[in-house]
Amino acid sequence: MDIQNKILQVESLTKVYGKGDNRTEALNGISFDVLEGEFLGIMGASGSGKTTLLNCIATMLKPSSGKVILRGQNISGFRGGALADYRGREIGYLFQEFELLDNLTARENIALPLSLHGVTAKKAESDIESLAAMLDITGVLDKFPGQMSGGQKQRVAAARALISDPAILLADEPTGALDSKNSKKLMDMLSEINRKQQKTIMMVTHDANAASYCSRILFIQDGCIFHELRRNVLTESTSAFYDRIVTVMAQLGGGSANVF
């Protein structure tokens, strides 16, 4: 992780829904930086604004005010082709429910982001094979989603999110639809990608086990950052970091059951 390089800057970001008595501030002037090669976790109670934050960075939602700056560019003002290029090339998004197209094979699903930019699956074949080997999905490349397990679907979705070599991978509850065995396998693989490729990852999660793989965690409450936890990745194990996460969750939210 390059501590000198801020790949993402979020500045005074707000998101307001509704008006008058129905007005809700999902994000309330939140600011933070994400460093190149960082594995950042976002945690908070249901309705705290964490998924809204992720979706503003992904440009799936437009913030009410503030800035999202990626690699020095203010993406908040992107429109048209610039916005499409940003979504297709700079951001990889890993969804909780996989969001694979049922009528496409795993290979075709992975290649889909490239095809939108005129790159064929054949041209991307070596990259697809490399990611498939890394994520242990080579055996399902020519299968349809209905023929895969949940863990395989999520790893195919991860390959799709990574195929365009995005600047940052955004993951929204990536283990939420997986059992504990597949959750661990996915997190081990994401951690390896972060460590070996220095891929920047920003993950929303309610799962302390998944969060323990992160290098830093921001806890969000009422659209604001109310606590930060850093892991010493050189000396602190994931199990030790997990214990600290659970302690903070208990102190700030009345127990891990209240953090989603």
Side-chain angles (χ1 to χ4, degrees):
M1 182 171 64
D2 185 354
I3 62 174
Q4 302 299 322
N5 191 358
K6 299 176 182 179
I7 191 170
L8 180 73
Q9 297 165 271
V10 176
E11 298 181 356
S12 303
L13 204 67
T14 69
K15 180 60 181 177
V16 178
Y17 296 102
K19 297 180 180 180
D21 293 340
N22 295 320
R23 177 185 171 93
T24 300
E25 291 187 349
L27 297 176
N28 188 14
I30 192 168
S31 299
F32 63 93
D33 299 327
V34 181
L35 304 179
E36 185 90 47
E38 187 171 23
F39 195 159
L40 177 68
I42 305 291
M43 303 187 80
S46 179
S48 61
K50 58 191 185 300
T51 296
T52 296
L53 170 63
L54 206 68
N55 287 338
C56 285
I57 294 171
T59 69
M60 296 168 67
L61 286 176
K62 183 180 179 181
S64 300
S65 64
K67 295 179 181 180
V68 177
I69 300 171
L70 182 72
R71 288 178 168 173
Q73 290 187 296
N74 180 9
I75 67 170
S76 306
F78 281 2
R79 300 289 186 275
L83 182 58
D85 281 346
Y86 170 78
R87 288 172 174 165
R89 302 181 191 279
E90 299 293 348
I91 291 291
Y93 203 109
L94 185 55
F95 298 89
Q96 177 178 344
E97 296 293 341
F98 323 135
E99 303 298 339
L100 300 177
L101 296 181
D102 291 335
N103 61 334
L104 299 182
T105 65
R107 189 187 307 273
E108 291 166 337
N109 267 287
I110 294 168
L112 188 59
L114 298 178
S115 67
L116 296 175
H117 293 277
V119 180
T120 65
K122 185 175 182 179
K123 187 175 181 180
E125 187 62 31
S126 63
D127 290 338
I128 293 173
E129 293 288 347
S130 177
L131 275 173
M134 184 183 304
L135 293 165
D136 192 24
I137 51 172
T138 301
V140 301
L141 280 178
D142 296 312
K143 293 184 178 180
F144 293 94
Q147 300 170 304
M148 304 176 205
S149 68
Q152 289 168 336
K153 289 179 185 178
Q154 190 59 303
R155 296 197 299 278
V156 169
R160 181 187 57 190
L162 292 165
I163 189 63
S164 59
D165 191 24
I168 186 170
L169 174 65
L170 304 178
D172 188 6
E173 304 280 10
T175 63
L178 303 179
D179 60 27
S180 58
K181 180 180 178 181
N182 280 303
S183 293
K184 184 179 186 306
K185 187 169 187 177
L186 177 68
M187 292 311 304
D188 284 340
M189 290 177 175
L190 290 180
S191 180
E192 183 177 5
I193 289 169
N194 168 254
R195 185 175 66 255
K196 291 186 176 180
Q197 298 184 6
Q198 288 294 289
K199 179 64 64 182
T200 307
I201 302 174
M202 182 175 169
M203 176 180 70
V204 163
T205 185
H206 71 277
D207 182 358
N209 281 302
S212 67
Y213 286 82
C214 297
S215 53
R216 179 166 62 112
I217 298 172
L218 299 178
F219 294 86
I220 296 179
Q221 184 178 59
D222 298 328
C224 301
I225 295 171
F226 69 86
H227 195 74
E228 177 179 295
L229 207 56
R230 293 177 182 266
R231 175 186 169 202
N232 188 326
V233 294
L234 297 178
T235 61
E236 188 175 21
S237 66
T238 55
S239 60
F241 194 41
Y242 169 87
D243 290 339
R244 289 209 289 140
I245 293 167
V246 171
T247 298
V248 171
M249 289 163 64
Q251 291 174 339
L252 298 175
S256 60
N258 292 331
V259 179
F260 296 95

